[in-house]
Amino acid sequence: MKEALASYMQVGIVHFMAYPECMKGEGPIYDTLTKIVEDEFFAAVEITWIKDPAERARVKTLLATSHLTVGYGAQPCLLSQKLNLNHFDEAERKKAVDQVKACIDEAAEVGAEAVAVLSGADPGARREEAFALLVDSVTELCGYAKTKGLRFVLESFDSKYDKKCLIGPAKDALALCKAVRKTYPDFGIMVDLSHLPIQDETPMLVFGTLQKENIAHIHIGNSVKQAGHPAYGDQHPRFGLPGGENDVPQLVEFLKVLFEIEYLGKGRRPVVAFEVKPLPGETSGSVIASAKRTLLEAWALV
């Protein structure tokens, strides 16, 4: 592609993955986020919970000056506390819903435009029951997000390698969309290139199944299917990691399919966000720079 990347997308980055020391809502959130805000390569950023109200106020001011599109990921809050939006125990499911409502409040406070979650675990034989509970939770949360002026998104994960989530394969993500969009038509699915190998699915299969209208957001990154590898599963290592699944060729294929379904098109400029994390011994700055180079090289080949 000879035309400018910025004509077709807002390049974003998941702050709490690039700086995993901030994932639990603590740590040098303001200082590390400042590095992203001051990098003109990025037009969008995704943050997560910030436990300290004073730090949250500083972040709000920082983001207000940034001219960045801001998203909010509630996934770390759910995963770190083992909360499940499709839990069979009503009290446990309510804990998960209440936590996400608190995240929605926080997202609105800092000026985010959307909040993302993930489903709970795939329970096997009781999948249909769990699916119905998830529909109830997501529908309730879509309504709550709407009162705050926010979009609500669910990210599909793997169902058998690492997170082992209910959603899941593209066909199940589509079923969830159809159920929830009857009431909230702006609900959609986040598709992550990192997850496709561990979903055992291809970009053509996923995007062909979901179609453009059900896709709410895009992440790009890497994963490892090789058992015993230090980065096995859904650890979001850098592109091109030996033993990993995604590098420039896979990103090229992914972007080409996004063009084919017209999710990407000149003037549309949806957010396409890196989700990459440094492994032990690696630096955040190096992994972020590597991701930029990967995207630029792939873009030249699309």
Side-chain angles (χ1 to χ4, degrees), residues 31-245:
D31 292 341
T32 53
L33 186 58
T34 297
K35 295 179 182 181
I36 292 170
V37 167
E38 293 177 350
D39 185 344
E40 66 272 17
F41 189 88
F42 295 115
V45 67
E46 294 168 41
I47 64 170
T48 191
W49 57 345
I50 305 170
K51 293 179 179 177
D52 180 1
E55 184 81 344
R56 196 157 62 241
R58 295 177 73 209
V59 165
K60 177 181 179 179
T61 300
L62 176 66
L63 292 174
T65 70
S66 70
H67 210 274
L68 290 171
T69 297
V70 180
Y72 186 107
Q75 300 94 322
C77 311
L78 293 169
L79 289 168
S80 64
Q81 299 176 92
K82 296 182 170 55
L83 298 174
N84 181 345
L85 289 170
N86 46 267
H87 204 291
F88 294 121
D89 183 281
E90 185 61 27
E92 289 298 318
R93 187 166 72 93
K94 186 177 185 302
K95 284 182 186 178
V97 170
D98 287 347
Q99 173 63 77
V100 176
K101 286 181 178 179
C103 289
I104 291 169
D105 290 342
E106 193 173 302
E109 180 185 343
V110 300
E113 297 181 4
V115 174
V117 297
L118 77 166
S119 67
D122 184 336
R126 298 177 70 187
R127 292 189 84 253
E128 288 188 15
E129 187 181 348
F131 183 84
L133 292 170
L134 180 64
V135 170
D136 287 347
S137 295
V138 170
T139 301
E140 179 179 348
L141 289 166
C142 281
Y144 190 77
K146 189 172 183 178
T147 68
K148 303 291 182 175
L150 300 174
R151 289 188 302 117
F152 196 72
V153 176
L154 185 135
E155 183 176 11
S156 59
F157 279 70
D158 72 281
S159 60
K160 69 178 185 180
Y161 285 91
D162 189 347
K163 299 296 190 296
K164 301 179 181 178
C165 289
L166 182 63
I167 312 291
K171 63 180 178 58
D172 296 328
L174 178 63
L176 180 67
C177 270
K178 286 182 175 179
V180 176
R181 283 167 66 94
K182 291 175 184 177
T183 309
Y184 295 103
D186 61 346
F187 171 74
I189 298 296
M190 181 194 304
V191 177
D192 189 336
L193 172 61
S194 309
H195 297 160
L196 299 195
I198 53 177
Q199 289 174 203
D200 292 322
E201 295 184 315
T202 65
M204 185 62 75
L205 186 154
V206 170
F207 293 129
T209 299
L210 285 173
Q211 295 299 311
K212 180 174 71 173
E213 62 269 19
N214 295 306
I215 302 167
H217 193 56
I218 296 292
H219 279 174
I220 53 176
N222 194 10
S223 59
V224 175
K225 292 174 71 173
Q226 181 182 314
H229 192 288
Y232 172 77
D234 183 31
Q235 297 301 310
H236 292 277
R238 58 186 166 83
F239 287 102
L241 177 76
E245 296 294 320

Side-chain angles (χ1 to χ4, degrees), residues 258-269:
L258 285 174
F259 272 107
E260 287 176 19
I261 67 166
E262 298 183 343
Y263 185 81
L264 289 180
K266 193 167 185 179
R268 289 203 70 235
R269 301 193 70 241

